[in-house]
Amino acid sequence: MRVLLVEDERRVASFIARALRENAYAVDLAETGEAGLAMAKASAYDTILLDIRLPGLNGIEVCRKLRETGVETPILMLTARGLVEQRVEGLDAGADDYLIKPFALAELLARLRAAVRRNFGHTAATLRHADLEIDRHRRRVIRGNTTIPLTSKEFALLEFLMLRAPDTITRSEIVEHVWDCHFDNESNLVEVYINRLRQKIDHGQPNKLIHTVRGVGYSLHLSS
Ligand code: CA
């Protein structure tokens, strides 16, 4: 899942970004409202974390402009304690939820999961397909009776395939939701990670789950 973080305080921003990356999110950072607005319009983020107090265009104005231009990405506002009017204004401007600073990391992660679940129409923490099961809270993957250890990036890729299964997803959709804006489009990282997932999920199994759809992309379904 890919998150846009709009936050001008560098220490706060790097703390949040690091924590999210450790939890398998791809994170792009914008330090001004103007930059955040442009990035949110240009890419399909899964969630936007939007600080209210920004120099120049503030978070509420950014939120309002995004909704006016039809961007429906879930928006979580980051607000200071006690500023009730700001929170009301943020929700009225089209934000989905807010977090009061300073917040616990566990709460941020829980609200992010909730926002992503709403966005994909999946409310369950556990996703299942055939004998493959992933627990999105504990980031645990089980096929049959075997727990499969995955890196953050492998997990993020598998989660995205599972969320869209059995539909075929294109390489560019994968890049957009699993990698951040520094992804080098010339690289073969998607193919590399798909192969790693195949090794871990399908190797030695009679029925394969991860399939290449030639000329289109990839799909997760049980081969018959
Ligand atoms: Ca700020």
Side-chain angles (χ1 to χ4, degrees), residues 21-89:
R21 288 184 184 123
E22 284 169 0
N23 282 276
Y25 290 92
V27 183
D28 289 340
L29 181 61
E31 291 187 346
T32 65
E34 286 80 357
L37 186 61
M39 289 166 78
K41 284 182 183 172
S43 295
Y45 288 98
D46 297 298
T47 305
I48 300 169
L49 287 176
L50 183 55
D51 188 30
I52 288 193
R53 288 177 61 170
L54 295 166
L57 207 58
N58 71 38
I60 290 167
E61 292 165 319
V62 172
C63 183
R64 193 172 291 129
K65 283 179 190 293
L66 285 174
R67 294 308 188 225
E68 279 169 7
T69 49
V71 174
E72 292 179 352
T73 310
I75 295 176
L76 261 72
M77 290 284 201
L78 308 178
T79 82
R81 189 177 298 282
L83 298 175
V84 179
E85 306 84 1
Q86 275 194 349
R87 297 203 288 277
V88 172
E89 214 183 332

Side-chain angles (χ1 to χ4, degrees), residues 69-70 89 119 132 184 213:
T69 49
E89 214 183 332
N119 201 22
L132 179 66
D184 172 8
V213 183

Side-chain angles (χ1 to χ4, degrees), residues 86-129:
Q86 275 194 349
R87 297 203 288 277
V88 172
E89 214 183 332
L91 293 171
D92 282 344
D96 297 82
D97 201 355
Y98 60 84
L99 270 161
I100 297 169
K101 287 182 182 176
F103 45 78
L105 206 49
E107 185 181 7
L108 168 65
L109 294 172
R111 287 182 191 250
L112 258 181
R113 286 195 296 264
V116 171
R117 281 201 301 271
R118 281 195 298 273
N119 201 22
F120 277 87
H122 286 273
T123 52
T126 304
L127 299 175
R128 270 187 208 89
H129 206 91

